[in-house]
Amino acid sequence: MDHDTGRKLRHKRAMQRKKAHIDKRIAAADVDKGLLVLLTGDGKGKSSSAFGMLARSVGHGLRCGVVQFIKGQWECGEQMLFNDHPLVEFHVMNTGFTWETQDREKDIEAAVATWAHAVDLLRDPAVKVIVLDELTYMLTYGYLDPTEVLDALRERPADQHVIITGRNANQALVEIADTVSEVKDIKHAFNSGVRVQKGIDY
Ligand code: ATP
Ligand code: MG
């Protein structure tokens, strides 16, 4: 057998073993449930990943909800796309970043009013996927009662998926989540002086 044929054969055997292993793991995962997905960390990609899952869900015809707890300076493409979509109920907190309002009382009032929309969605069994974008900050800043938030998440319909984003997720959220990813900042163009780019950043 020449070198090339031997290499192809070894590759085929390795792939057969890999396939057997993966097929076994796929067969073993036989549970369906509403997942709590937590996307945290200081790198870019948390909200855009959450909206990627929203796009997938809408593509499958699932009823979805979005609650954005921090309103950015720029109107996000995802809001323009999904705001009037018949399958998506979209709520955005009516204040800007907390370092822009600089008013704790006003921030708390807005957080509590915005959370009420999240609670309505979390109680609605017809809503299959909910994005709670930047929710972690509401807990870190102490704007929302953590017990209330955790209870509402725990008591939601069993088949409802929830995706939470934001830096510095607290330990209690990590514990109740099914899937947790930490996006790590390796580098970000903003730190080299590149301003926010339409489509990529908002
Ligand atoms: P994205 O919405 O792009 O997925 P994100 O949700 O992971 O970002 P946030 O902390 O919510 O990140 O920040 C939102 C905005 O800040 C986006 O415009 C994003 O490009 C930018 N950003 C995210 N991470 C960093 C970083 N490490 N340094 C500078 N800017 C960042
Ligand atoms: Mg974000």
Side-chain angles (χ1 to χ4, degrees):
M1 196 188 314
D2 63 35
H3 174 72
D4 205 32
T5 314
R7 191 174 174 183
K8 281 182 189 154
L9 202 63
R10 280 199 304 281
H11 176 81
K12 192 176 166 67
R13 286 200 187 119
M15 289 303 122
Q16 278 168 343
R17 280 197 300 276
K18 197 177 178 77
K19 181 170 160 46
H21 176 67
I22 293 171
D23 286 351
K24 205 169 143 192
R25 292 196 61 197
I26 291 171
D30 57 358
V31 176
D32 285 314
K33 66 172 280 203
L35 297 175
L36 183 54
V37 178
L38 177 59
L39 305 170
T40 191
D42 61 358
K44 170 181 166 53
K46 302 174 291 294
S47 298
S48 40
S49 166
F51 284 100
M53 284 180 261
L54 183 78
R56 283 182 173 171
S57 306
V58 168
H60 284 291
L62 300 176
R63 271 197 57 198
C64 301
V66 177
V67 185
Q68 284 192 302
F69 284 89
I70 291 182
K71 182 177 182 285
Q73 221 174 316
W74 300 274
E75 191 160 14
C76 291
E78 55 266 28
Q79 192 186 349
M80 292 178 190
L81 182 63
F82 292 119
N83 218 0
D84 300 321
H85 196 288
L87 285 173
V88 184
E89 189 180 318
F90 209 113
H91 299 279
V92 186
M93 195 151 100
N94 59 3
T95 59
F97 284 114
T98 195
W99 53 87
E100 272 164 6
T101 62
Q102 298 165 8
D103 182 337
R104 191 174 156 82
E105 287 308 306
K106 212 175 126 205
D107 280 352
I108 293 176
E109 216 174 272
V112 169
T114 309
W115 172 248
H117 294 301
V119 170
D120 287 344
L121 291 165
L122 289 163
R123 286 183 183 154
D124 186 346
V127 177
K128 300 302 177 196
V129 179
I130 303 174
V131 174
L132 302 176
D133 193 34
E134 321 298 349
L135 175 69
T136 60
Y137 302 99
M138 302 302 109
L139 298 170
T140 337
Y141 293 140
Y143 291 175
L144 294 177
D145 174 5
T147 315
E148 211 180 289
V149 170
L150 292 171
D151 284 351
L153 290 170
R154 277 197 207 97
E155 288 159 16
R156 73 188 195 277
D159 67 343
Q160 188 184 68
H161 302 301
V162 176
I163 305 150
I164 295 175
T165 79
R167 295 180 188 200
N168 303 314
N170 70 9
Q171 195 48 38
L173 271 184
V174 172
E175 271 159 30
I176 67 161
D178 299 283
T179 297
V180 182
S181 292
E182 185 171 16
V183 185
K184 184 173 168 344
D185 181 41
I186 306 289
K187 59 164 135 167
H188 193 289
F190 179 70
N191 298 317
S192 313
V194 182
R195 69 174 131 229
V196 291
Q197 298 294 306
K198 192 182 278 180
I200 300 298
D201 292 305
Y202 68 98

